[in-house]
Amino acid sequence: MDILVCQSAFAQALLDPAAPLPANVGSARGESDPARFAVYRNNVYVGLTSALARRFPVTARLVGEEFFTGMARVYAASAKPRSPLMFEYGDTFPEFVSGFGPARALPYLADVSRLEVAWSRAYHAADAKPLSVGDFSAIDPAMLARVKLILHPSASLVDSSYPAGSIWQAHQSTEVSAVRAAGSELVLIVRPQMQVNVCILPPGPDRVFARAVANGETLGEAAIQSMADSPSFDFGGALVGLLSLGAIAAIEISTEEAS
Amino acid sequence: MLERNALTLPARAGLGLKPEHYGAILDGKPDVGFFEVHAENYMGAGGPPHRYLEAITERYPLSLHGVGLSIGAARPLDPDHLSRLRALVDRYNPQSFSEHLAWSTHDCGFLNDLLPLPYTPETLARVSSHVDQTQQALGRRMLLENPSTYILFEESTIDEIDFLEAVAERTGCGLLLDVNNVMVSAVNHRLDPFVYIDRFPMNRVGEIHLGGYDEAVDSAGDRLLIDAHGSEVKSDVFELYEYTLARGGPLPTLVEWDNDVPDFATLFAEAHRVDTALHAEAERRNSRAA
């Protein structure tokens, strides 16, 4: 049998437990043995579901091991890793979770898994020295409105209609602490040095500001949007906040005229 | 402790490097011959994995062991993956690079397991060309590891050892002899593991692997060993290992324990057991030579 045909048949039988065993597979006894082929079938699914359990530990904790393994298995049946970099496997898992019927009772589950995607991306992201408040003070104030902040390579925002950040934080120790938060949260995930930080941003105009910065708006535009949200917006405080969290790697001066 | 530019691993016990042991290793500076990592776990852009691996390779020799290149695949090798391997080799200058006689990638994606292939003239040509391509891409010789298998292919016409030896002959690659895999395959296919070792081209072996197997039975109730890497090295495998050393002499030997990873002290005890066997074999050879 041609090697490509042989591997296609093997892969197909591997992924579909109902499929017959490949015709060319045998054993020392001669005949093929489903129990032997099942070792490969099992290895593939156990390998994929345990990779997901490692990447989504809080999601797994929220639903329990058995439920998680079942859910991960359904995902793995339709989504195989695109590369051998298993720490990247599951980028689309949150979307799958949000549409997974049996998990409907936990509407925040998909957001917690999005946070976990962001966490592992931050963990493996390129290293960069964050811009400090001191670095920033060297900028000519007249240019400030045209400055665009470049996020640190590890930084990302997770927007949740639920307290996803508080839920995640409550599951960081052996004992789960009570989650007192309610309502939506905007969570910044960033690794300025070797530690991944998960920061829940204060509600109100600070969130509008952080989203605008992450969308690549100039500081001028970000300030306008934040003020529109609330006239009491504290521009300096919000800016220093993002800088001190290590979320900013560099600045760029926009060549467009400030509006 | 480390000969920085040595091209080979020392004939000592090595351990698989696990993130949960980074701290214990850097603080305790244990006397371990070398550490081995799965290349794919260090293919991120930055972060703690690289920070720790840099610190550890300042003190210990490194074996870079790939689990995702899919050398036995019918499909061409992934050029992106070869570039990622090259970048790691350039960055860490490991004393050894090894991969498996297996495939793991197909049209559907990466299957995350080391899958078996039939041994035929066609697969021999394919594997040899993939090993050639890898060695060229990395600018160095690699070691190819014997697999553990649970099934046999009806179309196989070449014996596994002859197959490995032919790849080595054609490409100049070395071999990685996994003694646990020998036991697993031998039991699963009713072969004598000692005969396998007797026939293995020991002069081509650059590294030995040891690990723990799990035990099951197949549909007919025959023993079925599973390469699990989740326990200590079983006594029959250790006996086969000592037999291997008696034939091939002391060789760099890795203890693989990748699942249900124990505390570092337990792993270190396994390394000590291996070092003792290596030392005994060296002594035996010295006294015979004297």
Side-chain angles (χ1 to χ4, degrees):
Chain A
M1 197 191 289
D2 169 74
I3 172 178
L4 188 59
V5 176
C6 163
Q7 289 183 357
S8 297
F10 198 96
Q12 204 182 355
L14 204 55
L15 300 175
D16 178 7
L21 301 195
N24 61 334
V25 162
S27 70
R29 286 193 309 275
E31 81 273 28
S32 69
D33 182 343
R36 288 167 175 267
F37 195 75
V39 178
Y40 294 110
R41 280 178 172 154
N42 187 56
N43 280 354
V44 168
Y45 278 104
V46 169
L48 298 182
T49 55
S50 35
L52 292 170
R54 275 194 299 277
R55 193 173 183 194
F56 298 95
V58 175
T59 309
R61 224 174 142 182
L62 284 166
V63 296
E65 192 183 330
E66 197 181 334
F67 187 97
F68 184 84
T69 306
M71 180 164 73
R73 211 184 150 94
V74 177
Y75 173 74
S78 63
K80 300 295 175 299
R82 282 169 302 141
S83 87
L85 279 58
M86 290 305 287
F87 58 81
E88 291 181 348
Y89 179 49
D91 282 355
T92 59
F93 189 58
E95 287 156 46
F96 168 82
V97 170
S98 72
F100 187 64
R104 210 174 298 138
L106 306 181
Y108 49 81
L109 195 64
D111 286 349
V112 172
S113 65
R114 281 167 63 216
L115 196 161
E116 294 194 292
V117 165
W119 193 98
S120 59
R121 281 188 183 155
Y123 185 81
H124 290 283
D127 299 322
K129 190 173 171 291
L131 204 69
S132 71
V133 177
D135 296 332
F136 201 83
S137 59
I139 297 168
D140 175 2
M143 307 285 269
L144 211 53
R146 288 202 284 141
V147 163
K148 281 185 182 176
L149 303 179
I150 312 295
L151 287 191
H152 189 272
S154 69
S156 62
L157 292 173
V158 170
D159 226 324
S160 174
S161 312
Y162 304 93
S166 299
I167 295 169
W168 184 90
Q169 282 173 347
H171 289 79
Q172 293 312 299
S173 48
T174 334
E175 291 278 309
V176 178
S177 50
V179 178
R180 301 198 192 284
S184 67
E185 279 182 353
L186 180 65
V187 187
L188 169 71
I189 295 96
V190 63
R191 182 179 57 77
Q193 269 85 37
M194 287 298 122
Q195 173 95 34
V196 178
N197 295 326
V198 172
C199 326
I200 301 162
L201 298 181
D206 284 47
R207 290 190 192 175
V208 176
F209 183 71
R211 283 189 200 107
V213 164
N215 287 338
E217 305 288 3
T218 59
L219 285 180
E221 177 60 28
I224 290 167
Q225 291 181 8
S226 309
M227 295 285 215
D229 182 74
S230 162
S232 67
F233 172 63
D234 171 10
F235 174 79
L239 181 59
V240 168
L242 286 184
L243 288 166
S244 28
L245 291 170
I248 308 304
I251 60 154
E252 205 176 86
I253 310 287
S254 168
T255 49
E256 290 163 39
E257 284 301 305
S259 52
Chain B
M1 178 185 318
L2 167 57
E3 296 168 59
R4 196 64 187 136
N5 297 313
L7 291 170
T8 55
L9 297 167
R12 290 274 320 270
L15 289 173
L17 179 62
K18 299 291 156 199
E20 47 270 62
H21 299 147
Y22 288 151
I25 294 161
L26 289 173
D27 295 344
K29 305 181 180 62
D31 181 20
V32 175
F34 64 96
F35 283 99
E36 182 163 293
V37 295
H38 288 176
E40 287 71 13
N41 291 340
Y42 293 85
M43 287 181 171
H50 287 293
R51 175 69 63 90
Y52 283 109
L53 190 56
E54 269 165 15
I56 283 165
T57 51
E58 274 172 27
R59 295 192 188 135
Y60 298 94
L62 176 69
S63 166
L64 189 65
H65 188 54
V67 296
L69 188 55
S70 201
I71 277 181
R75 293 284 179 203
L77 295 181
D78 175 3
D80 292 342
H81 200 62
L82 280 175
S83 308
R84 290 190 287 257
L85 281 172
R86 174 69 199 228
L88 272 181
V89 163
D90 287 347
R91 180 167 182 176
Y92 292 103
N93 194 23
Q95 276 68 24
S96 173
F97 172 72
S98 48
E99 251 287 356
H100 300 83
L101 177 58
W103 60 284
S104 49
T105 298
H106 199 59
D107 300 346
C108 53
F110 178 66
L111 294 165
N112 196 34
D113 192 27
L114 298 166
L115 300 166
L117 60 153
Y119 302 137
T120 66
E122 187 196 1
T123 58
L124 175 59
R126 180 59 54 106
V127 168
S128 301
S129 104
H130 284 171
V131 169
D132 258 338
Q133 193 190 346
T134 305
Q135 294 187 133
Q136 270 169 31
L138 301 187
R140 59 159 65 206
R141 181 174 179 254
M142 63 165 282
L143 306 178
L144 186 65
E145 177 176 342
N146 62 300
S148 57
T149 56
Y150 311 108
I151 52 114
L152 296 171
F153 287 100
E154 283 169 6
E155 67 261 53
S156 283
T157 52
I158 306 174
D159 166 85
E160 182 170 286
I161 295 176
D162 294 343
F163 190 97
L164 285 163
E165 193 161 16
V167 175
E169 185 64 39
R170 289 182 186 193
T171 66
C173 78
L175 299 176
L176 192 165
L177 174 57
D178 188 316
V179 174
N180 185 60
N181 287 356
V182 171
M183 183 62 77
V184 167
S185 293
V187 168
N188 290 347
H189 307 315
R190 299 181 176 172
L191 301 168
D192 183 339
F194 291 89
V195 170
Y196 190 101
I197 299 297
D198 283 340
R199 290 193 48 233
F200 207 82
M202 292 305 299
N203 57 330
R204 298 189 191 271
V205 175
E207 184 184 345
I208 291 177
H209 273 184
L210 292 173
Y213 61 71
D214 278 354
E215 185 148 5
V217 289
D218 73 3
S219 309
D222 285 348
R223 269 182 100 202
L224 181 63
L225 299 190
I226 296 166
D227 184 28
H229 294 186
S231 61
E232 74 291 339
V233 180
K234 302 291 192 290
S235 59
D236 56 349
V237 171
F238 207 84
E239 191 190 326
L240 187 62
Y241 170 59
E242 289 173 320
Y243 183 81
T244 307
L245 293 185
R247 246 210 93 210
L251 283 160
T253 305
L254 179 83
V255 177
E256 293 186 295
W257 196 326
D258 300 317
N259 300 307
D260 298 325
V261 176
D263 61 14
F264 188 75
T266 306
L267 269 191
F268 189 68
E270 281 287 274
H272 183 69
R273 182 153 77 114
V274 167
D275 267 333
T276 305
L278 285 166
H279 186 69
E281 180 55 31
E283 288 289 298
R284 198 176 70 81
R285 288 177 178 243
N286 284 339
S287 64
R288 204 171 49 183

